Amino acid sequence: MTIYQNWSNDLPPLVVPAGGKSERMKTPKGLLNFFGKPWLLHQLDCYRRAGGKTAVVVLGFKADTYLTALPFLKIGQTVAADGLEITTLLNSAPQFGPFSTIQTGLSFLLSQDFSSFSFLALDRPAPRPAVWHRLANILNDQNADMVFPVRNGKDGHPVMLSKAFAKTIVALCPETSRMDKLRSTLPDGACLAVEQADVNVGFNLNTPEQWQEFLNQYGAV
């Protein structure tokens, strides 16, 4: 049994898809007030505190709202914040859903010299730093194509991807592709669900009620 305790020097670059309509939440998820901070900034800060260096925020629907609320986000530009480089992109076809938003971010990162990638949805709370590194180490050590955390049978984020699988994702038709269906096509051993005790793993934040439940839980941790 391998015990993953040594953290990698760098985490895979991160895609944060923020291109949805947030219809069920009734407000852009990334701008929800998380104890005085926009939720998007909290998610990015979790990645930074885990040791992440490179993040891509991909906007779509509600892009103008994000750009007004967070003026440091500028389409096509990269800014540095506390050691984290954040590039903002625009998904030109957000009507095809989160898959196309992830494709936009991965396409940008594939043009650079990275060997693996990750993405973190706004409706899935970021876990503690140790979870990020355990997933990244397992992705590398097991030569997997996809690795993600689970808790009590519920999937979580971040999702780690191999370079080869990232290339497969960006080559697919966004109108007919979904990440969960694509995951099911991977052979045994290529897609690994890693059990974690982190209470953030497994939350799904799509409605005001779910958001409030999470806030109540977070305040108790």
Side-chain angles (χ1 to χ4, degrees):
M1 176 179 175
T2 302
I3 300 176
Y4 294 90
Q5 293 179 328
N6 296 324
W7 287 5
S8 306
N9 291 330
D10 294 311
L11 289 174
L14 178 70
V15 176
V16 181
K21 292 182 178 180
S22 295
E23 290 180 315
R24 285 181 286 174
M25 189 63 78
K26 300 180 172 41
T27 190
K29 292 184 189 125
L31 300 180
L32 289 165
N33 185 344
F34 184 71
F35 299 102
K37 176 188 291 187
W39 178 242
L40 171 61
L41 297 190
H42 171 75
Q43 293 281 81
L44 289 170
D45 194 48
C46 287
Y47 172 67
R48 179 190 62 79
R49 286 189 284 110
K53 305 292 187 184
T54 303
V56 176
V57 175
V58 186
L59 304 177
F61 293 113
K62 312 292 185 181
D64 289 344
T65 304
Y66 276 101
L67 295 173
T68 299
L70 303 172
F72 76 91
L73 297 177
K74 299 183 188 301
I75 302 297
Q77 295 188 24
T78 301
V79 298
D82 296 325
L84 177 63
E85 290 193 347
I86 305 168
T87 302
T88 306
L89 302 177
L90 181 66
N91 177 10
S92 60
Q95 68 273 19
F96 296 134
F99 191 87
S100 65
T101 306
I102 293 169
Q103 283 181 309
T104 300
L106 289 178
S107 293
F108 172 80
L109 290 171
L110 279 166
S111 67
Q112 304 174 46
D113 189 23
F114 295 109
S115 59
S116 57
F117 306 89
S118 63
F119 67 88
L120 172 67
L122 288 175
D123 58 10
R124 300 302 181 98
R128 293 179 173 84
V131 177
W132 292 82
H133 287 274
R134 184 164 190 246
L135 297 174
N137 286 337
I138 289 175
L139 180 77
N140 292 331
D141 292 350
Q142 301 296 324
N143 292 317
D145 281 324
M146 176 184 284
V147 176
F148 59 93
V150 295
R151 181 174 182 266
N152 297 331
K154 295 181 179 180
D155 296 353
H157 279 210
V159 177
M160 305 281 178
L161 306 169
S162 70
K163 187 172 187 177
F165 193 51
K167 288 180 177 180
T168 297
I169 290 170
V170 301
L172 294 173
C173 175
E175 296 98 320
T176 57
S177 299
R178 285 180 46 173
M179 196 63 68
D180 54 349
K181 292 183 178 179
L182 182 59
R183 185 177 80 186
S184 67
T185 67
L186 289 170
D188 291 344
C191 181
L192 302 176
V194 182
E195 187 69 32
Q196 297 293 313
D198 192 313
V199 295
N200 285 343
V201 173
F203 268 103
N204 201 344
L205 309 177
N206 280 310
T207 68
E209 294 75 20
Q210 290 172 331
W211 175 251
Q212 188 58 53
E213 179 187 356
F214 172 68
L215 291 180
N216 295 340
Q217 172 74 48
Y218 192 92
V221 173

